[in-house]
């Protein structure tokens, strides 16, 4: 019993009531793209207009033609039968059964409801040999097709049920033929909707997959860049640990009389430093690339001139402005600053070849300030492969700056160029 009540409630509320009153159709924007088979119209000028505007303009033109044809048909048939019809009646009947055609694209359900009521209530039996006005029947079938394309399955089912019931109420003698004529627009329209829905879902799925792939690539780039930073900073840390071990071993020989307890402390410091070096080498064995390409000495800002020379040789017009004690930076800070400038110059070469580039590096108040600002590409220059140096673009630069507790910003400039700025603390600070 409960199942029967649920079925009845579904049919009355979700099917019939939705079709008659509450249902809504999918919107059809005026600027929607032209169908593939009609894109050739752009070569004759028509295809350059908005597709929705063209559809509604054609609908209005056809509606005017159908109204005129209906009035002419009613006038001729009424005179032939000797039952003259007033001009107002002819216009009323023509509008009642054909005017919904102009609403078919913008408001398909409203157009069908108007057509359904007009066709059901208007009686032309005294003037025509058929209970249906020919142009009105065409309008009704067009509205049914549009509803099947633009409305949900439940609404389309309700429209079909009411339409079949309407033709039997209208005239039982022609109801079977009218029902047969209703099947093709309903079936074809629903098939078109299924095809459009499948395409839309496939496009949304592809978009989600592309977004997930992009997030995966960004996450992978961050992890790879962190490994690269760890490999490069290993040499810096290992150097300091080696100095600690050497100084702890040499200290007892610098002083003749040194307490035994101090000797033991220095020996323990040396042993701890050596243990730390051993652990660093183990970590390095995991992080090093197989070809050993990362074992070269790591650069700092002392090699900035070589970096700028390479950029100029690649076609960039580079000017530099340096300020402060950049030569005395801690190795980790110098390495990070060098890599950020290297990647920024590589991006400039890749995306704005031949452009004017301003490179700035300064040190003040315990902060290293970096800036690389490039203009738009030079005339006739095509994007190139960039400068050698590796990295992962903005993701890698930002990760390097964050690793030292600094900040990096990257944004386009009003003149069509790009600006990368960063600040790095000379002394490491706690990351929150």
């Amino acid at each position: 019993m409960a199942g029967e009540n649920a079925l009845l409630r579904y049919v009355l509320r979700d099917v019939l009531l939705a079709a008659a009153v509450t249902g809504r159709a999918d919107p059809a924007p005026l600027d929607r793209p032209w169908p593939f088979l009609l894109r050739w119209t752009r070569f004759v000028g028509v295809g350059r207009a908005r597709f929705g505007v063209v559809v509604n303009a054609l609908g209005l033109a056809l509606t005017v033609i159908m109204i005129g044809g209906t009035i002419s048909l009613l006038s001729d048939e009424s005179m032939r039968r000797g039952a003259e019809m007033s001009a107002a009646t002819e216009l009323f009947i023509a509008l009642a059964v054909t005017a919904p055609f102009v609403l078919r694209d913008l408001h398909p359900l409203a157009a069908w409801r108007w057509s359904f009521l007009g066709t059901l209530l208007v009686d032309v039996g005294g003037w025509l040999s058929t209970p249906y006005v020919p142009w009105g029947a065409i309008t009704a079938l067009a509205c049914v097709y549009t509803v099947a394309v633009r409305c949900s399955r439940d609404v389309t089912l309700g429209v079909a049920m009411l339409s079949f019931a309407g033709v039997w109420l209208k005239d039982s003698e022609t109801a079977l033929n009218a029902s047969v004529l209703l099947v093709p627009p309903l079936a074809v329209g629903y098939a078109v909707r299924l095809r459009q829905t499948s395409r839309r879902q496939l496009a949304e799925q592809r978009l989600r997959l592309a977004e997930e792939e992009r997030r995966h690539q960004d996450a992978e780039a961050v992890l790879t860049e962190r490994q690269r930073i760890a490999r490069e900073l290993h040499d810096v840390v290992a150097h300091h640990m080696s100095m600690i071990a050497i100084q702890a071993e040499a200290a007892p020989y610098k002083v003749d009389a040194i307490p035994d307890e101090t000797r033991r402390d220095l020996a323990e410091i040396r042993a701890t430093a050596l243990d730390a070096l051993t652990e660093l080498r183990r970590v390095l064995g995991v992080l090093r690339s197989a070809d050993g390409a990362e074992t070269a000495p790591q650069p700092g800002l002392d090699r900035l001139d070589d970096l700028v020379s390479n950029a100029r040789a690649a076609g960039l017009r580079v000017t530099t402005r340096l300020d402060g004690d950049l030569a005395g930076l801690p190795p980790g800070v110098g390495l990070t600053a060098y890599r950020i400038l290297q990647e920024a110059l590589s991006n400039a070469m890749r995306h704005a070849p031949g452009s004017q580039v301003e490179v700035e590096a300064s040190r003040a108040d315990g902060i290293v300030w970096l800036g690389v600002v490039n203009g738009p590409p030079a005339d006739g220059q095509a994007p190139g492969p960039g400068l050698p140096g590796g990295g992962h673009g903005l993701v890698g630069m930002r990760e390097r700056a964050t690793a030292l507790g600094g900040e990096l910003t990257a944004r386009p400039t009003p003149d069509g160029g790009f600006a990368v700025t960063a600040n790095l603390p000379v002394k490491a600070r706690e990351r929150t």
Side-chain angles (χ1 to χ4, degrees):
M1 189 67 177
E4 294 178 356
N5 291 336
L7 178 60
L8 180 61
R9 185 166 55 251
Y10 164 75
V11 172
L12 292 178
R13 183 188 63 188
D14 299 335
V15 176
L16 296 179
L17 183 62
V21 180
T22 61
R24 295 292 182 270
D26 294 341
L30 295 178
D31 58 351
R32 60 188 185 271
W34 281 74
F36 177 77
L37 295 178
L38 295 178
R39 291 180 184 175
W40 59 269
T41 55
R42 72 182 65 180
F43 298 108
V44 296
V46 178
R48 300 181 185 276
R50 294 182 177 181
F51 179 70
V53 174
V54 174
V55 168
N56 284 276
L58 290 176
L60 177 60
L62 289 175
T63 302
V64 172
I65 292 173
M66 289 190 294
I67 291 173
T70 301
I71 292 175
S72 177
L73 176 65
L74 292 173
S75 177
D76 293 343
E77 288 296 316
S78 63
M79 290 180 62
R80 188 174 64 84
R81 290 171 177 266
E84 293 188 8
M85 183 186 302
S86 66
T89 303
E90 293 173 354
L91 179 60
F92 172 78
I93 293 175
L95 290 175
V97 297
T98 62
F101 191 88
V102 76
L103 296 176
R104 190 175 57 91
D105 185 66
L106 294 177
H107 305 286
L109 267 177
W112 172 82
R113 291 162 185 164
W114 183 349
S115 174
F116 176 78
L117 292 176
T119 303
L120 182 63
L121 300 179
V122 170
D123 184 11
V124 293
W127 299 286
L128 300 179
S129 58
T130 173
Y132 299 99
V133 178
W135 288 115
I138 293 175
T139 298
L141 294 176
C143 292
V144 167
Y145 169 80
T146 307
V147 166
V149 173
R150 298 264 300 281
C151 296
S152 66
R153 180 191 60 186
D154 293 344
V155 173
T156 300
L157 179 60
V159 167
M161 294 173 64
L162 291 175
S163 297
F164 285 124
V167 297
W168 283 95
L169 290 174
K170 176 73 174 180
D171 183 62
S172 59
E173 294 182 0
T174 61
L176 182 59
N177 293 333
S179 298
V180 172
L181 289 176
L182 282 172
V183 173
L186 285 169
V188 174
Y190 188 65
V192 171
R193 177 174 179 82
L194 287 179
R195 185 166 178 265
Q196 292 178 347
T197 302
S198 299
R199 284 185 171 182
R200 183 169 60 252
Q201 291 175 348
L202 181 60
E204 292 174 353
Q205 184 179 10
R206 287 177 176 174
L207 186 62
R208 288 196 300 270
L209 290 175
E211 182 66 21
E212 291 177 1
E213 179 67 17
R214 187 190 63 79
R215 289 197 298 266
H216 175 74
Q217 290 177 351
D218 288 346
E220 185 178 3
V222 169
L223 293 176
T224 304
E225 194 67 22
R226 287 179 178 177
Q227 291 179 349
R228 179 185 174 91
I229 295 170
R231 291 194 299 265
E232 293 177 345
L233 292 182
H234 164 270
D235 293 337
V236 176
V237 177
H239 171 73
H240 290 302
M241 296 301 298
S242 298
M243 292 301 299
I244 292 174
I246 293 173
Q247 290 173 354
E249 184 177 8
Y253 300 101
K254 295 180 179 180
V255 180
D256 294 335
I258 185 171
D260 292 338
E261 183 177 356
T262 302
R263 290 179 180 273
R264 289 194 299 269
D265 290 341
L266 291 173
E268 185 175 349
I269 291 173
R270 178 179 179 276
T272 302
L274 292 176
D275 290 340
L277 278 173
T278 301
E279 295 300 325
L280 278 175
R281 292 191 183 98
R282 290 176 182 174
V283 174
L284 187 65
V286 177
L287 297 179
R288 290 291 191 196
S289 56
D291 58 5
E294 302 291 341
T295 58
Q298 301 303 327
L301 288 184
D302 56 329
R303 291 175 53 185
L304 180 58
D305 291 339
D306 295 337
L307 185 63
V308 171
S309 298
N310 292 336
R312 288 170 178 162
L316 295 178
R317 294 170 291 164
V318 184
T319 59
T320 60
R321 184 169 58 186
L322 308 178
D323 187 26
D325 182 15
L326 299 176
L329 292 174
V333 178
L335 170 63
T336 298
Y338 178 88
R339 291 301 189 196
I340 289 176
L341 294 177
Q342 183 184 43
E343 189 65 31
L345 286 172
S346 179
N347 287 342
M349 182 59 206
R350 184 180 300 112
H351 301 292
S355 63
Q356 179 69 41
V357 182
E358 296 181 1
V359 176
E360 180 179 0
S362 62
R363 176 180 178 180
D365 299 328
I367 300 292
V368 176
W369 302 91
L370 305 174
V372 178
V373 181
N374 64 269
D379 294 339
Q381 293 282 348
L387 296 173
H392 293 88
L394 298 179
V395 175
M397 288 190 288
R398 188 171 286 111
E399 189 65 26
R400 287 181 178 277
T402 305
L404 294 183
E407 297 178 351
L408 183 139
T409 60
R411 63 189 184 281
T413 59
D415 62 351
F418 204 78
V420 175
T421 59
N423 62 80
L424 308 174
V426 175
K427 294 184 179 180
R429 58 175 181 247
E430 293 294 329
R431 294 176 58 183
T432 58

